[in-house]
């Protein structure tokens, strides 16, 4: 094209479209696997000091401009979005009547469509990484262990969130205990979340409950106010006694 149209290329659309058609399939394979690649790098760096040292030396190299390996892995995706911004800037400067006025918007839509097409794969990879992360950081009590089957390809994480539970006995501290629940498609896992060296660790508080054995009741009860629950719990017997006396 440069030889045929020398010294000026008449349209930006043709070369960019050609490149897009050439790298499209590669992008569809590469981008959805980025979360997994980034996780593997972190995982290996945590357990392999020599690999961690290698990564740090690469980041310090002048040619890297302080760019980490994970940032390099993400470059193809960010570059794809930069093409869109570049084309929009060119479109603003395109003279009236030029063929690119019509073709550039179509090209932008093709690039954005490619990015959207990778989203389901990225979401799936992120879910896998999330399961692997929980699997590596769920900690059972000494002498206890259980295979939660979190590395199963079909496993799914349904919900995570805090749970506030009444103490089991009066010997425990007053107020509600804060727990962290992990609801998978096979187990409900109740843990106590703690930070350790910048990593969340999930210490098992109760033996994981298989969903087949889990029953949910009292959906119509009013929610408990965390701040006043312990006070109400202590005053409940005296209230009942007063009602009984007034009735007599």
């Amino acid at each position: 094209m440069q030889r045929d149209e020398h010294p000026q290329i008449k349209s930006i659309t043709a070369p960019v479209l050609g490149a897009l058609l050439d790298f499209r399939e590669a992008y569809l394979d590469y981008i959805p696997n980025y979360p997994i690649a980034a996780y593997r790098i972190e995982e290996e760096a945590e357990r392999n000091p020599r690999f961690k040292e290698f990564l740090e030396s690469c980041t310090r190299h002048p040619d890297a401009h302080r760019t980490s390996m994970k940032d390099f892995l993400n470059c193809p995706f960010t570059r794809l979005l930069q093409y869109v911004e570049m084309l929009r800037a060119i479109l603003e400067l395109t003279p009236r009547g030029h063929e690119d006025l019509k073709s550039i918007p179509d090209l932008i839509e093709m690039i954005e469509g490619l990015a959207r097409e990778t989203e389901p794969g990225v979401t799936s990879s992120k879910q896998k990484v999330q399961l692997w992360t929980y699997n590596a950081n769920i900690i059972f009590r000494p002498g206890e262990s259980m295979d939660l089957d979190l590395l199963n390809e079909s496993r799914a994480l349904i919900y995570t969130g805090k749970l506030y539970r009444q103490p089991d006995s009066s010997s425990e501290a007053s107020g509600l205990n804060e727990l962290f629940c992990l609801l998978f498609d096979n187990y409900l896992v109740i843990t106590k979340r703690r930070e350790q060296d910048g990593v969340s660790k999930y210490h098992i508080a109760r033996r994981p409950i298989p969903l087949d054995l889990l029953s949910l009741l009292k959906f119509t009860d009013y929610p408990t106010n965390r701040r006043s629950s312990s006070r109400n719990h202590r005053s409940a017997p005296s209230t009942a006694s007063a009602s009984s006396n007034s009735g007599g």
Side-chain angles (χ1 to χ4, degrees):
M1 178 176 291
Q2 286 180 322
R3 286 197 303 266
D4 295 340
E5 299 187 6
H6 180 81
Q8 293 182 336
I9 296 177
K10 299 177 182 178
S11 169
I12 191 63
T13 304
V16 175
L17 177 60
L20 177 62
L21 295 176
D22 287 340
F23 63 59
R24 184 178 186 281
E25 293 301 320
Y27 264 70
L28 289 175
D29 287 337
Y30 182 91
I31 294 178
N33 285 295
Y34 163 74
I36 294 176
Y39 172 81
R40 294 300 188 195
I41 287 177
E42 288 184 352
E43 182 183 45
E44 185 64 23
E46 287 179 3
R47 66 187 182 189
N48 186 341
R50 293 184 63 185
F51 181 69
K52 182 178 180 180
E53 183 180 346
F54 167 74
L55 292 178
E56 292 173 348
S57 66
C58 290
T59 303
R60 291 193 301 267
H61 194 283
D63 292 342
H65 301 290
R66 305 298 299 177
T67 304
S68 69
M69 185 66 72
K70 287 175 61 177
D71 290 333
F72 274 120
L73 286 176
N74 196 39
C75 279
F77 181 70
T78 56
R79 182 60 56 85
L80 193 66
L81 301 179
Q82 287 171 357
Y83 288 145
V84 173
E85 296 304 316
M86 176 192 71
L87 288 169
R88 284 177 176 156
I90 293 174
L91 184 61
E92 291 181 359
L93 300 174
T94 301
R96 185 176 301 177
H98 196 283
E99 60 184 280
D100 279 350
L101 283 176
K102 181 180 182 304
S103 56
I104 286 180
D106 294 338
L107 187 56
I108 290 175
E109 176 57 31
M110 290 180 64
I111 296 174
E112 291 179 335
L114 173 58
R116 288 193 298 269
E117 201 169 342
T118 64
E119 288 177 359
V122 172
T123 300
S124 176
S125 293
K126 286 182 176 179
Q127 290 173 345
K128 287 182 180 179
V129 168
Q130 197 174 33
L131 286 169
W132 298 343
T133 301
Y134 282 128
N135 183 73
N137 292 295
I138 290 177
I139 300 175
F140 284 84
R141 294 167 179 165
E144 296 182 1
S145 64
M146 186 174 181
D147 182 11
L148 299 176
D149 198 28
L150 299 185
L151 300 183
N152 190 319
E153 288 290 327
S154 63
R155 188 61 56 235
L157 176 66
I158 299 173
Y159 184 80
T160 65
K162 294 179 181 179
L163 171 69
Y164 293 90
R165 179 176 61 86
Q166 291 281 5
D168 287 335
S169 65
S170 59
S171 62
E172 295 188 41
S174 61
L176 298 176
N177 294 330
E178 181 179 313
L179 303 172
F180 192 82
C181 286
L182 306 165
L183 179 61
F184 302 102
D185 62 349
N186 59 343
Y187 284 99
L188 172 64
V189 183
I190 302 175
T191 73
K192 292 183 178 180
R193 182 170 58 180
R194 297 169 185 160
E195 294 296 318
Q196 181 177 329
D197 298 327
V199 178
S200 294
K201 299 291 183 179
Y202 302 87
H203 297 259
I204 294 293
R206 299 257 181 187
R207 185 171 180 80
I209 305 172
L211 291 197
D212 293 341
L213 304 180
L214 184 64
S215 297
L216 303 177
L217 304 172
K218 299 184 179 179
F219 281 100
T220 57
D221 284 2
Y222 289 103
T224 301
N225 187 319
R226 296 202 302 269
R227 294 180 179 176
S228 61
S229 60
S230 59
R231 183 176 66 250
N232 293 340
H233 181 70
R234 290 193 296 269
S235 63
S238 61
T239 303
S241 176
S243 298
S244 176
N245 292 336
S246 63

